[in-house]
Amino acid sequence: RSIWRRYWSVGRRKRTRKMMKNNEVVNDLLGYPGLKIIQRPDMFNFSLDSTILAYYVGINKTTKKIIDLGCGNGYVPIFLSLRTKALIHGVEIQEESFDLAKRSVELNNLTNQITIYNGDMKEIHKTLGVAQYDIVTSNPPYFKYSDDSLVKESEYLKIARHEVKVTLNEVVHSANVLLKDGGTFAMVHRVERLMDILEAFRNNNIEPKRLLFVYPKTSSEEALVVFIEGKKSKKKGGLKILPPLYVYNEENKYTKEILKIFNYKEDNHA
């Protein structure tokens, strides 16, 4: 889900003092006033990657239904509510994350717009229908997994970060099944898996249309994360490369672009 370890808990910059059951914490959702999210230190919290996904995915006035695959604690659906009045669904296979997401939606009084489902994204079309969505988003597990993989993590984190329950190709296939013709699929992933991603997109009838490379610093020579967006279409071509996104400048302060995404004021968070 993320390789930016220092950003996993970026929401804690404005932590409230109220602790809940199971060491849960209610955080402000970055710099966006009025929105909260319930998190647990021992679980996967929202990341820079998720924020980039929710910020950059193309939404317009014709967007009526959106679904986020592997929604975790519900961060992407809640962030998307800032950008659209469309109906938003989230699917999460792990019950603990599903519970956090459901309660976060309730905490923000967004139950009329956002619904969270506990289930397998590969099977969710049986409940929600085929070709029903204008937009599908996903921040999927990044790491390949096999029975002999050495993973020293909790079962929860193993599933969140590794392709234990779902593979890259299965994520993209699920998006294809859920999307209307001409619909948009957007995801974030590791740059090193870009060829796998492009192959999975085309194999599942989703044509890549926009790419954004994310670099740790303005001086970095290699990007670590890629945002990719495609359309469910048989028409090939039309790929555009967006200007690069840099997280930190040379003074190890957030760039203006990141501050804008986080909705932070430069004088307080630079």
Side-chain angles (χ1 to χ4, degrees), residues 89-155:
H89 293 160
V91 182
E92 175 54 45
I93 196 169
Q94 299 205 67
E95 284 194 29
E96 288 178 300
S97 291
F98 159 75
D99 179 63
L100 290 178
K102 185 173 180 291
R103 287 190 286 120
S104 286
V105 170
E106 293 168 353
L107 180 65
N108 289 290
N109 297 313
L110 289 169
T111 53
N112 288 335
Q113 183 181 13
I114 300 175
T115 304
I116 307 296
Y117 295 87
N118 183 207
D120 188 335
M121 70 175 73
K122 301 189 297 294
E123 305 293 329
I124 198 64
H125 66 278
K126 296 177 181 178
T127 300
L128 300 179
V130 173
Q132 296 294 308
Y133 293 88
D134 302 295
I135 294 175
V136 177
T137 59
S138 186
N139 178 10
Y142 285 173
F143 304 101
K144 292 183 177 181
Y145 182 82
S146 63
D147 291 338
D148 58 354
S149 295
L150 297 176
V151 180
K152 297 180 180 179
E153 295 175 315
S154 67
E155 186 67 15

Side-chain angles (χ1 to χ4, degrees), residues 2-133:
S2 180
I3 55 174
W4 308 82
R5 289 186 178 271
R6 67 188 301 177
Y7 306 116
W8 280 355
S9 302
V10 67
R12 296 181 192 169
R13 296 173 70 106
K14 290 190 174 183
R15 171 178 286 180
T16 66
R17 294 182 180 274
K18 183 179 179 181
M19 300 295 290
M20 302 174 69
K21 65 178 183 179
N22 299 323
N23 293 320
E24 293 173 1
V25 180
V26 178
N27 295 143
D28 290 335
L29 195 142
L30 297 172
Y32 295 93
L35 287 182
K36 306 286 184 179
I37 192 159
I38 304 170
Q39 306 202 100
R40 269 177 47 185
D42 62 324
M43 295 175 66
F44 183 87
N45 295 318
F46 75 83
S47 66
L48 174 63
D49 304 4
S50 298
T51 308
I52 289 170
L53 173 65
Y55 185 86
Y56 278 97
V57 60
I59 298 174
N60 56 44
K61 293 180 180 180
T62 66
T63 302
K64 302 300 182 184
K65 290 182 70 176
I66 302 172
I67 187 166
D68 184 47
L69 304 180
C71 69
N73 65 354
Y75 173 74
V76 170
I78 292 171
F79 191 107
L80 289 174
S81 73
L82 293 166
R83 302 186 56 207
T84 181
K85 298 299 183 183
L87 291 177
I88 303 170
H89 293 160
V91 182
E92 175 54 45
I93 196 169
Q94 299 205 67
E95 284 194 29
E96 288 178 300
S97 291
F98 159 75
D99 179 63
L100 290 178
K102 185 173 180 291
R103 287 190 286 120
S104 286
V105 170
E106 293 168 353
L107 180 65
N108 289 290
N109 297 313
L110 289 169
T111 53
N112 288 335
Q113 183 181 13
I114 300 175
T115 304
I116 307 296
Y117 295 87
N118 183 207
D120 188 335
M121 70 175 73
K122 301 189 297 294
E123 305 293 329
I124 198 64
H125 66 278
K126 296 177 181 178
T127 300
L128 300 179
V130 173
Q132 296 294 308
Y133 293 88

